[in-house]
Amino acid sequence: MTAATATADERVAHVGALRRVLLKPEFGALIGAVIIFVFFAAQSDVFRSMSGAANWLDVSSTLGLMAVPVALLMIGGHFDLSAGVQTGTAGLATGIMTTYWGLQLYASWAVSLLLMLVIGFINGFLVTRTGLPSFIITLGMFLGLQGLNLGVTKQVTNTVQVENLDLVPGYHSLFNILGSTFTLGHAKFQIAIIWWIGFTAIASWLLLKTRFGNWIFATGGDPTASKNVGVRTDRTTISLFMMTSAMAWFVGNTQIARSGTIQAQVGIGQELYFIVAAVIGGCLLTGGYGSAIGASLGALIFGMTQVGIINVNWNSDWFKLFVGVMLLLAVLANQYVRRFAEQVRR
């Protein structure tokens, strides 16, 4: 290898500390989160109180739990438009099997997990075997599950919801795991916040410190070249879809565990918010670049904005405008950072 080649290699190119920070995928989302917090905290006493923090962290955790695996999937070069409706499928499956079919709670929990893993496998298998865009495959799964959720729920319960899970044996232990709260500064915080932080840390470690994480980046960056050098791109893709479905199972069961009830329409439309949170967090729509921490910061921005708008007595319709503006700004910022990174590596 010549000296010129070694200098051009991005692995050995010298990059200053400041530039390394600027090139972090989550850097823009961190700045955005600080700005959003300062803005609403300056205008609302409730927002900056412990009870206010409990509210916007609760909203952020529900979104962030799904945004993290969706971000990993996007880094791997794919989308899952069925991620939102899968949360409803998971909760409905557990509720129906337990309250209407008499299956023991934890047995139904395990069966619903198996069901979600199968759904994730089907998504990944079809993407890798057909060569069709994941957008098309998962859109079909989204429509299928939407109809299945509504049709089966109506057939079994004669309504559009599953209820009374809180009356079955073992519910309280499930509630303690997924739906309980802890007290901090006289405010009650949902246990889901702890799960969110924990899963974000695990996903970040997986992405940055393991061989599988390298495979994710390689698969999203250039799948053909990666396959040629021995990366198991098909297995990586299927695994990422299954991980997304597994988290949908966790989130769906968290929702039904909180109140003992879940609607057949739960999760529909949320998949777009998962993707937007990941993009705000630094993920590129083209794959190969992103961060699990960034996705969680994107979810945090969503949560703070949604609750902050209510705290300052603005019309909640402004939240949709915010989502659109933030998406455009994030895409433009990500393009700029990518170009900046390429210039640094030359």
Side-chain angles (χ1 to χ4, degrees), residues 293-305:
I293 295 175
S296 282
L297 288 172
L300 180 62
I301 290 174
F302 264 69
M304 288 194 295
T305 303

Side-chain angles (χ1 to χ4, degrees), residues 14-262:
H14 175 73
V15 180
L18 178 59
R19 285 189 172 183
R20 282 200 300 270
V21 172
L22 292 175
L23 292 175
K24 292 288 186 181
E26 62 271 16
F27 178 74
L30 177 60
I31 298 300
V34 171
I35 292 173
I36 293 295
F37 175 80
V38 171
F39 177 78
F40 284 112
Q43 299 188 61
S44 172
D45 294 337
V46 175
F47 180 87
R48 63 176 180 265
S49 67
M50 293 298 289
S51 60
N55 288 333
W56 45 262
L57 283 174
D58 181 26
V59 175
S60 301
S61 65
T62 302
L63 179 62
L65 281 166
M66 283 303 301
V68 168
V70 166
L72 266 60
L73 183 61
M74 289 180 64
I75 295 170
H78 298 286
F79 298 92
D80 190 347
L81 296 183
S82 66
V85 73
Q86 284 187 53
T87 63
T89 302
L92 290 167
T94 298
I96 288 174
M97 287 187 291
T98 304
T99 60
Y100 291 89
W101 294 349
L103 192 64
Q104 196 271 341
L105 179 59
Y106 285 100
S108 65
W109 209 27
V111 173
S112 67
L113 173 59
L114 179 61
L115 171 64
M116 301 314 298
L117 291 175
V118 169
I119 291 173
F121 176 82
I122 292 173
N123 279 337
F125 181 81
L126 290 177
V127 167
T128 57
R129 288 296 181 269
T130 66
L132 291 172
S134 56
F135 175 90
I136 299 298
I137 297 295
T138 58
L139 178 60
M141 182 63 76
F142 163 78
L143 295 173
L145 290 179
Q146 184 178 359
L148 186 67
N149 289 356
L150 188 59
V152 172
T153 302
K154 280 187 174 182
Q155 183 69 30
V156 174
T157 70
N158 293 319
T159 66
V160 294
Q161 67 179 8
V162 175
E163 53 187 1
N164 297 326
L165 184 71
D166 53 331
L167 301 180
V168 303
Y171 167 76
H172 292 292
S173 60
L174 180 64
F175 176 83
N176 290 335
I177 296 171
L178 299 178
S180 61
T181 60
F182 61 95
T183 302
L184 185 63
H186 304 292
K188 290 186 176 181
F189 291 77
Q190 289 288 339
I191 194 67
I193 298 170
I194 302 298
W195 286 112
W196 170 40
I197 295 172
F199 281 125
T200 300
I202 293 172
S204 185
W205 170 79
L206 182 70
L207 192 62
L208 301 176
K209 300 294 184 180
T210 68
R211 182 173 62 174
F212 182 69
N214 291 332
W215 287 0
I216 294 173
F217 281 111
T219 300
D222 192 333
T224 302
S226 300
K227 185 176 293 187
N228 290 338
V229 297
V231 174
R232 298 176 179 177
T233 55
D234 288 354
R235 180 181 296 183
T236 301
T237 297
I238 293 173
S239 298
L240 289 171
F241 275 106
M242 293 180 70
M243 288 169 58
T244 302
S245 295
M247 186 56 73
W249 165 80
F250 185 87
V251 172
N253 279 276
T254 297
Q255 292 176 336
I256 195 173
R258 286 193 181 186
S259 62
T261 302
I262 191 170

